[in-house]
Amino acid sequence: MTGLNQDELEKKIDELNKKIERLESKLQQPHNIGSNIWVLVPVAAIIMWGLTKIF
């Protein structure tokens, strides 16, 4: 059961990494910096919280 949970967590982390990459690519555009930072910060916080629960 822990193997399944770890696989599920790895999938979630991969999905979140893809979302962060998309957000970072949008942040490269100068007109979107202010609006997308409010999305990037909570996503990064959720990932860090998840990683602390794993390790």
Side-chain angles (χ1 to χ4, degrees):
M1 187 165 167
T2 54
L4 292 175
N5 288 337
Q6 185 173 354
D7 289 340
E8 291 173 7
L9 288 173
E10 288 175 1
K11 288 179 185 178
K12 292 284 187 184
I13 290 172
D14 288 339
E15 290 174 13
L16 290 173
N17 283 335
K18 289 177 185 176
K19 288 180 183 180
I20 287 177
E21 288 174 4
R22 279 182 276 173
L23 288 172
E24 286 176 344
S25 68
K26 287 182 181 180
L27 284 175
Q28 297 300 322
Q29 301 170 358
H31 62 279
N32 284 337
I33 291 176
S35 61
N36 285 335
I37 195 72
W38 294 109
V39 177
L40 183 61
V41 170
V43 169
I46 291 169
I47 290 173
M48 294 305 293
W49 175 79
L51 290 175
T52 59
K53 294 291 183 181
I54 293 172
F55 299 108

